[in-house]
Amino acid sequence: MKLNKHYTELNESYLFSTIARKVREFQAANPERDVIRLGIGDVTLPLAASVTEAMHKAVDEQGRKESFHGYIPSEQGYEFLREAIQRYYAKNGVMLDISEIFVSDGAKSDLGNLLDLFDVDNTVLVPDPVYPVYVDDNVMAGRTIHYMAATAENHFLPMPGEDTEGDIVYLCSPNNPTGSTYSVEQLKVWVDWAKAHDALILFDAAYECFVTEPGLARSIYEVEGAKDVAVEVCSFSKIAGFTGTRCGYTVVPQAIVKENQSLNKMWLRRQTTKFNGVAYVVQRGAEAVFTEQGMKEIQDNLNYYRTNAAVIGKALEDCGVWYCGGKNSPYIWLKCPGGMDSWQFFDWLLANAGVVGTPGAGFGACGEGYFRLTAFGDAERTREAAARIKAAIQTL
Ligand code: PLP
């Protein structure tokens, strides 16, 4: 028996465990200090009433012989949910065939599982900084990764240049951690590049629900022709608080055909072999997200987080700290003040404001010198944190 040697090539992810240890040590040394956490990307508001009502009803159905659902007829997801997702896209002007939509237990699983479809020899392009899962998924498989620097100069939105080469490119928009969001026009450049280079785009739209600004893309399929070259992964985690309930979906267009093989058919084959679908109860809950009442409740929740982002942004503006994000995204990406690096600022902010954030360096080398705060916290605690951050930075 031989192990997958590529696991030894993974960088140990010290980010969240180091943060947890530092906070524990700080609290042990300062038991009287109140610490506010604006570090992790989890939501804090509960599921919307429409969602839990639908799930309760589905649980009761499962408890009666005449309405019990066993193995899901299609591993791809119940039609009622795929049709609801189809209508959600159509409202945004994107027409999908129901056969192109695959329901999953979340974006994270699909982002890893999709790689089953591609040869190990493909070169992968990954933005830096970004959600660390893309890198680890490919290191585990032994693929070569090239990084695309996302910097203040390119507004944290890398674009292809004349010498950009790669077979699979990850785009995350709105971006975790920087909050930067591609416009439809910018994505068109990527789509054209992918066509010219026979490459595939894996578009992570997990935060699309936060986009409000006209011209910015919620889906890569807003670009004409994107269905030829892009797979889109999305999630109910951020739009509807499903981080602990688990549901997402992936769009694999019928138009993607490589080496005479349909990517959609390959993904269907992969899913029907290795996946038995998402729980009926969860799919009914996800369906309720798209009802008129569900959407209203969900917009109230998104507005709650948007207000948190505005509160944090205002505090940073008041003390002259540069930041981006927070407008079409729940993440605020700030430049560490006083010339501090990411971890120095982490320690300084904890000691001087009792606030926990995430050091930018944890998302990639280009994140050094930056820091991520999230708007997913409780509103009152976020106001308190923003006031403390402002007061502390003003002493610098
Ligand atoms: N994609 C991005 C960019 C994320 O930040 C996250 C979670 O934070 C995910 C995907 C994972 O989503 P899910 O909860 O659906 O697995």
Side-chain angles (χ1 to χ4, degrees):
M1 185 277 278
K2 282 188 184 157
L3 293 173
N4 179 344
K5 64 177 185 299
H6 301 299
Y7 276 65
T8 61
E9 294 154 15
L10 288 165
N11 271 337
E12 204 55 61
S13 176
Y14 293 120
L15 181 63
F16 289 103
S17 56
T18 307
I19 291 173
R21 177 180 54 75
K22 278 176 177 275
V23 174
R24 255 195 329 271
E25 285 169 5
F26 178 80
Q27 290 203 296
N30 305 277
E32 75 296 346
R33 294 287 299 277
D34 167 46
V35 171
I36 305 178
R37 289 177 168 78
L38 297 185
I40 53 160
D42 202 353
V43 296
T44 51
L45 291 174
L47 296 172
S50 298
V51 171
T52 53
E53 253 168 56
M55 290 174 77
H56 279 298
K57 196 166 152 259
V59 167
D60 290 340
E61 280 179 61
Q62 288 295 67
R64 286 192 302 266
K65 194 162 197 274
E66 62 278 15
S67 53
F68 169 74
H69 292 78
Y71 279 127
I72 295 163
S74 163
E75 293 86 344
Q76 204 173 338
Y78 280 102
E79 284 198 2
F80 62 74
L81 178 53
R82 288 190 288 140
E83 281 167 2
I85 294 166
Q86 187 186 38
R87 286 193 295 272
Y88 181 64
Y89 271 76
K91 267 196 218 147
N92 198 20
V94 173
M95 300 302 164
L96 299 176
D97 190 87
I98 192 171
S99 68
E100 298 177 313
I101 302 166
F102 295 76
V103 175
S104 73
D105 66 345
K108 195 179 198 174
S109 322
D110 278 2
L111 285 162
N113 294 337
L114 276 163
L115 294 174
D116 273 12
L117 310 187
F118 308 109
D119 193 279
V120 73
D121 285 342
N122 287 299
T123 297
V124 172
L125 287 178
V126 178
D128 169 11
V130 86
Y131 183 52
V133 165
Y134 312 151
V135 169
D136 286 354
D137 281 339
N138 283 286
V139 170
M140 285 173 182
R143 277 193 197 86
T144 304
I145 300 170
H146 291 165
Y147 294 93
M148 307 186 285
T151 61
E153 286 70 45
N154 61 20
H155 307 283
F156 296 100
L157 295 169
M159 296 298 294
E162 272 174 17
D163 53 352
T164 305
E165 295 287 343
D167 303 304
I168 298 170
V169 56
Y170 286 81
L171 298 178
C172 177
S173 175
N175 183 273
N176 176 12
T178 68
S180 308
T181 306
Y182 282 108
S183 66
V184 177
E185 229 170 275
Q186 286 172 312
L187 288 181
K188 175 159 181 0
V189 177
W190 270 114
V191 166
D192 290 345
W193 173 87
K195 286 187 179 183
H197 289 77
D198 193 26
L200 185 87
I201 298 172
L202 291 182
F203 189 78
D204 186 345
Y207 297 94
E208 59 78 31
C209 56
F210 282 93
V211 176
T212 50
E213 221 171 297
L216 299 185
R218 299 181 66 152
S219 161
I220 194 161
Y221 304 124
E222 288 173 59
V223 176
E224 217 184 303
K227 282 192 194 160
D228 297 332
V229 288
V231 167
E232 182 161 301
V233 178
C234 202
S235 170
F236 288 93
S237 287
K238 313 296 160 135
I239 187 175
F242 273 56
T243 51
T245 307
R246 309 306 307 145
C247 198
Y249 54 91
T250 286
V251 178
V252 185
Q254 293 286 2
I256 306 178
V257 177
K258 301 264 173 194
E259 299 160 29
N260 290 326
Q261 290 216 67
S262 148
L263 204 70
N264 178 286
K265 291 219 163 44
M266 283 177 73
W267 181 238
L268 182 64
R269 187 73 172 86
R270 190 263 171 217
Q271 290 298 79
T272 49
T273 304
K274 297 195 183 183
F275 185 55
N276 252 340
V278 175
Y280 173 71
V281 174
V282 172
Q283 292 198 51
R284 279 293 183 198
E287 179 194 23
V289 168
F290 299 115
T291 60
E292 202 180 324
Q293 178 59 21
M295 264 295 145
K296 196 195 147 302
E297 291 163 5
I298 273 144
Q299 284 308 322
D300 290 345
N301 290 356
L302 293 175
N303 285 336
Y304 177 97
Y305 296 136
R306 287 188 182 113
T307 305
N308 285 348
V311 165
I312 298 168
K314 171 80 172 56
L316 295 174
E317 277 159 30
D318 287 351
C319 52
V321 171
W322 185 93
Y323 76 95
C324 63
K327 295 206 173 64
N328 299 286
S329 151
Y331 297 123
I332 285 109
W333 181 247
L334 62 103
K335 182 144 182 58
C336 300
M340 284 183 257
D341 72 25
S342 295
W343 280 106
Q344 281 169 339
F345 185 63
F346 174 92
D347 291 333
W348 183 89
L349 196 66
L350 182 56
N352 291 277
V355 172
V356 180
T358 314
F363 298 97
C366 292
E368 183 55 278
Y370 291 90
F371 201 74
R372 191 192 77 174
L373 293 171
T374 103
F376 282 131
D378 170 78
E380 200 179 314
R381 299 286 282 162
T382 301
R383 275 196 296 277
E384 167 70 17
R388 287 197 213 163
I389 292 169
K390 178 173 156 182
I393 292 178
Q394 279 172 337
T395 65
L396 273 174

